[in-house]
Amino acid sequence: MNMKDAKKLKAGAIVREAFFPDSTVQGIVLSKVYVKEVHTAKQLGQIKKERFNITVHWLGPANLIPRMNWNDRSPSRVQVRENWELMVISHVDS
């Protein structure tokens, strides 16, 4: 999700991992934090000046919870992800 979409995101929205379009695992957004710093985006591999760190609670069976990295043997249901790593399925109505 780009910065424009991430600004609209609210707690309670439904998301999925952006780089696995066929994944059935969905998560609920718990919170988001704006971070302004020069960094290399994890999934994009590009230099970015800002991002949103989004806290997601993943739903579904434990064996399908997304891993933070390949060495992650027991992934947590609650994870903090950069906005680039997620795609919105459903926004929360205000």
Side-chain angles (χ1 to χ4, degrees):
M1 139 182 25
N2 59 30
M3 290 297 292
K4 182 179 177 182
D5 290 335
K7 286 178 186 176
K8 298 179 201 174
L9 193 67
K10 295 180 182 175
I14 306 296
V15 296
R16 68 168 174 82
E17 287 186 300
F19 45 93
F20 289 124
D22 58 342
S23 175
T24 59
V25 179
Q26 299 177 355
I28 298 175
V29 173
L30 300 178
S31 66
K32 71 176 181 179
V33 176
Y34 177 72
V35 179
K36 188 168 184 162
E37 69 177 4
V38 176
H39 71 288
T40 302
K42 291 179 186 174
Q43 294 300 325
L44 299 178
Q46 297 176 338
I47 303 296
K48 296 290 186 177
K49 296 179 182 174
E50 59 184 352
R51 70 176 182 271
F52 281 97
N53 283 343
I54 301 169
T55 305
V56 178
H57 182 276
W58 295 107
L59 307 171
N63 63 331
L64 296 179
I65 296 172
R67 298 176 181 196
M68 292 294 290
N69 58 51
W70 293 111
N71 297 328
D72 196 357
R73 299 285 181 227
S74 57
S76 171
R77 283 199 181 272
V78 178
Q79 298 176 357
V80 177
R81 297 293 188 97
E82 292 181 3
N83 56 292
W84 325 108
E85 300 177 61
L86 302 171
M87 180 171 279
V88 177
I89 294 174
S90 174
H91 282 285
V92 174
D93 294 330
S94 333

